[in-house]
Amino acid sequence: MKNICLVLALVLVIMGSCSKDYLEKYPITSPTESTAFQTYDNFKSYLYPCYGMFTDATILTSVTNGFPQNAQYRGDYYANYLTFKGTSQQNPYAWQTIEDAVSGNGWNFSYIRRINIMLDHIGDGSLSVEERNHWKAVGYFFYCYWYMELVNHFGNVPWVNTTLGTSSEQAYGPRVDRLVVTDSILARLKWAEENIGDFSAQDGANTINKNCILAVISRFTLREATWRKYHNLGDYNNYLQECASASKQLMALYPTLYTGTDGSPASGYGEMWTTESLDGIPGVILYKEYFANTNYYCNSSYIEHTSSHNVEMPQHTVDMYLTKNGLPIHNAANTQYAGDKTPYATFRNRDPRLYQTVMPPFRVSSTPGDAPGWSYTSDPGDREYIDIMGPNLSCSNPGIGMKRLPSQNWSATVLGAVPNFADGTSSATKAFVSCRSGYYVWKYYDQWETSFNNSALNTSDKPIFKIDEVLLNYAECMWEMGQFTQAIADETINKLRDRASVAHMTLASIGADFDPARDQSIDPILWEIRRERMIELMGEGFGFDDIRRWDKAAWYVNRQDYGMWINKSEITGSLLNTSTSQADNTGMTQGYRFLFNDPVKSGKGWLDKYYLYQVPTNEIALNPALDQNPGWD
């Protein structure tokens, strides 16, 4: 939020240099509630900390300020879309290792209190009616953004709409019915949409505006409608209608998708996370800005160049990616799928969003020649994906380009081959950019950013709201309303596929046998809509919220994690015995890389109590009027 950061700094400078009369009227060293809300800039400065919600790890879709695996990857790890490298890092929901929550667990009303204080004083000071409405709308935005996550976690929650004191009766009240809370959230968002006005000249371009409110309405109402539908709560049609309306408005305002600059397949998809500045980038509604030599930087690309990164993809998620002809790999008519018995074959002709998410295979010689740190091998097949992604010709830090191959670490040591197994036996095996499955996730990786060991110097911006998600929201919403047509597919899913150079979704061709591997309880077209959402938003934290609202968590979480097909001689670990779902003890020489046991066959697996989070026991001890969510007693 460069603009609002600069505004805040300017406000502080002005306060520090203002006249004696100003200081007497508006004390700034220890402001009280009665004096803190006098000017437009007072409100702006007071609400600035609420932007911290967008990097708050309580929200699984929050952008990263540190290790990516502790931020957006976590939601897709919980959904079992992704896995972690460590041999003891099994999915906690599959293996029932979620601990009882004594405190925390997302039960936090500090943002709500802060916003309520401001709302209680919205009539103070010298603001015009339009200015008061603007700050009330911004307050409502942040209030609702946090409250919709409280509902997402806990279902029924207390509705706190005024500042509470220690003796306030509301502070010791019960949880309020979910529908009452969500209807109240929607009402506030709708009021904010109508009243926020256009104050970008005063607030800065990259700040909360009407389009941000519409983006949250699109996300919130789809989530709530489908939760209510699939968890048999009823009363969801209004939410679907609001999702369709908000999404459609944004689609008209953001008709273009970002196509990138580096020339690799689906580069616009990948470069949304590795671009220096998202200012003016098509489809970006709000973004987090990072700067060198300030407190506003991150280390996401640096981490993915090192041995510290531990995020990888299991085979069952790789298998979800279509081939370029728009067909699932198990479709009987799919002649593009080359099989999975070599990594080169697995990646060949696949949806290029796979290349932008998982590092494609390659092999080079460590002898300088074609570039300072490497040269091509004598086998032309080893350069297939180097040619697709673009060669790393700089071999430096910082280097040139985005996702270039061969990969390197922060000290510019070039990796000889991918897959690079963490326990590999090849002389090319390195500690950095390694994983157990063979599918190394590199969503934030790029070559151009400066990365020094133990220093967070990365400055590429990260999107908070973007039209890509809205297109998916609209597609799913229209299906749920019984209005998903070929025309809707063309203006949503096929728009995303065009950027990735994947053949269009054609509804007439999607029958019951279109993907034999799908969950057979799901309509085949809905399955493809959900697949598209999974692929397009992979690594952005939406997975756990999605599988919970669909009431399909068990299907996703209970799948056994295993890696790519390999020769046993390539690793010191085990292969998977598909007959027993255990690590091989029969002397197999080839097979899928064993990662973890089957959770269900091991007596574990998803528990339905996980659909809602546990209310912390300390909160119930402090307020006996609070009840616990089912299964957590």
Side-chain angles (χ1 to χ4, degrees), residues 356-386:
Q356 297 288 345
T357 307
V358 175
M359 187 175 293
F362 66 85
R363 181 172 295 276
V364 296
S365 167
S366 60
T367 304
D370 296 290
W374 61 276
S375 57
Y376 292 108
T377 70
S378 59
D379 183 350
D382 289 337
R383 64 180 290 169
E384 178 176 358
Y385 298 97
I386 300 176

Side-chain angles (χ1 to χ4, degrees), residues 405-599:
L405 299 176
S407 53
Q408 63 179 67
N409 68 355
W410 65 272
S411 66
T413 301
V414 172
L415 185 64
V418 161
N420 180 36
F421 293 105
D423 60 344
T425 59
S426 168
S427 59
T429 296
K430 302 289 184 183
F432 62 92
V433 190
S434 69
C435 65
R436 290 202 300 143
S437 73
Y439 299 114
Y440 184 87
V441 172
W442 67 334
K443 191 176 184 77
Y444 296 112
Y445 182 109
D446 62 62
Q447 288 293 123
W448 66 265
E449 291 190 87
T450 302
S451 299
F452 290 120
N453 200 21
N454 298 321
S455 296
L457 299 176
N458 299 158
T459 58
S460 58
D461 293 344
K462 301 292 181 282
I464 295 170
F465 303 122
K466 53 191 172 75
I467 198 63
D468 318 50
E469 177 203 346
V470 175
L471 295 176
L472 295 163
N473 293 346
Y474 186 64
E476 185 178 345
C477 171
M478 295 303 283
W479 190 92
E480 295 291 353
M481 295 173 70
Q483 299 176 29
F484 189 73
T485 62
Q486 186 61 52
I488 300 296
D490 290 343
E491 64 179 323
T492 57
I493 287 173
N494 289 336
K495 197 169 185 177
L496 298 169
R497 289 194 183 182
D498 282 342
R499 178 173 62 179
S501 298
V502 175
H504 280 191
M505 171 189 280
T506 304
L507 271 57
S509 68
I510 302 175
D513 60 348
F514 187 73
D515 184 1
R518 71 177 167 88
D519 178 347
Q520 296 297 311
S521 69
I522 304 300
D523 178 271
I525 292 178
L526 179 59
W527 179 257
E528 296 308 312
I529 293 171
R530 290 180 177 180
R531 183 207 303 273
E532 197 74 22
R533 181 179 182 88
M534 176 183 183
I535 299 310
E536 181 71 26
L537 300 179
M538 181 63 66
E540 298 180 25
F542 288 90
F544 193 58
D545 294 340
D546 286 343
I547 66 171
R548 288 169 56 240
R549 65 184 175 88
W550 296 332
D551 192 24
K552 279 294 173 183
W555 194 93
Y556 289 92
V557 169
N558 290 345
R559 292 177 297 177
Q560 182 176 15
D561 291 333
Y562 57 90
M564 66 170 53
W565 184 277
I566 55 171
N567 294 319
K568 176 63 174 67
S569 60
E570 296 180 51
I571 58 170
T572 59
S574 300
L575 301 179
L576 172 68
N577 186 320
T578 55
S579 298
T580 64
S581 300
Q582 303 289 320
D584 170 61
N585 56 11
T586 64
M588 293 170 57
T589 59
Q590 288 184 319
Y592 294 107
R593 172 66 197 265
F594 175 83
L595 298 180
F596 302 110
N597 286 326
D598 185 304

Side-chain angles (χ1 to χ4, degrees), residues 321-329 331 333-335 497 509 514:
Y321 283 79
L322 303 173
T323 45
K324 291 179 181 179
N325 57 14
L327 297 179
I329 63 171
N331 185 290
N334 194 350
T335 59
R497 289 194 183 182
S509 68
F514 187 73

Side-chain angles (χ1 to χ4, degrees), residues 60 77 79 86 109 139 209 257 265 272 285 300 319 355 357 374 388 394 399 415 419 423 538:
L60 294 177
Y77 164 59
F109 288 81
N209 57 27
L257 297 179
M272 187 66 73
I285 301 169
S300 53
D319 289 346
Y355 309 154
T357 307
W374 61 276
I388 288 173
S394 58
L415 185 64
D423 60 344
M538 181 63 66

Side-chain angles (χ1 to χ4, degrees), residues 272-273 275-278 287-290 459-463:
M272 187 66 73
W273 300 91
T275 293
E276 171 74 14
S277 173
L278 292 179
Y287 59 98
K288 169 69 175 170
E289 294 187 78
Y290 295 96
T459 58
S460 58
D461 293 344
K462 301 292 181 282

Side-chain angles (χ1 to χ4, degrees), residues 203-332:
D203 297 353
N206 188 36
T207 52
I208 302 305
N209 57 27
K210 181 178 178 178
N211 294 346
C212 297
I213 296 170
L214 289 170
V216 168
I217 291 175
S218 174
R219 180 184 299 181
F220 165 65
T221 52
L222 176 67
R223 179 193 292 172
E224 189 58 26
T226 50
W227 182 286
R228 300 196 68 82
K229 176 179 179 178
Y230 292 107
H231 291 268
N232 301 311
L233 299 181
D235 297 310
Y236 54 81
N237 285 326
N238 180 55
Y239 290 100
L240 290 174
Q241 292 165 4
E242 292 292 347
C243 177
S245 175
S247 301
K248 192 67 174 175
Q249 290 182 66
L250 286 172
M251 289 162 61
L253 292 169
Y254 297 89
T256 306
L257 297 179
Y258 183 44
T259 55
T261 62
D262 212 37
S264 61
S267 58
Y269 167 81
E271 290 175 32
M272 187 66 73
W273 300 91
T274 57
T275 293
E276 171 74 14
S277 173
L278 292 179
D279 181 25
I281 294 298
V284 175
I285 301 169
L286 187 72
Y287 59 98
K288 169 69 175 170
E289 294 187 78
Y290 295 96
F291 305 91
N293 303 315
T294 70
N295 289 327
Y296 298 96
Y297 52 71
C298 67
N299 60 0
S300 53
S301 180
Y302 155 69
I303 291 296
E304 297 191 358
H305 281 263
T306 72
S307 59
S308 297
H309 186 53
N310 68 354
V311 182
E312 52 189 79
M313 188 176 282
Q315 184 69 49
H316 59 68
T317 301
V318 174
D319 289 346
M320 290 289 290
Y321 283 79
L322 303 173
T323 45
K324 291 179 181 179
N325 57 14
L327 297 179
I329 63 171
H330 298 293
N331 185 290

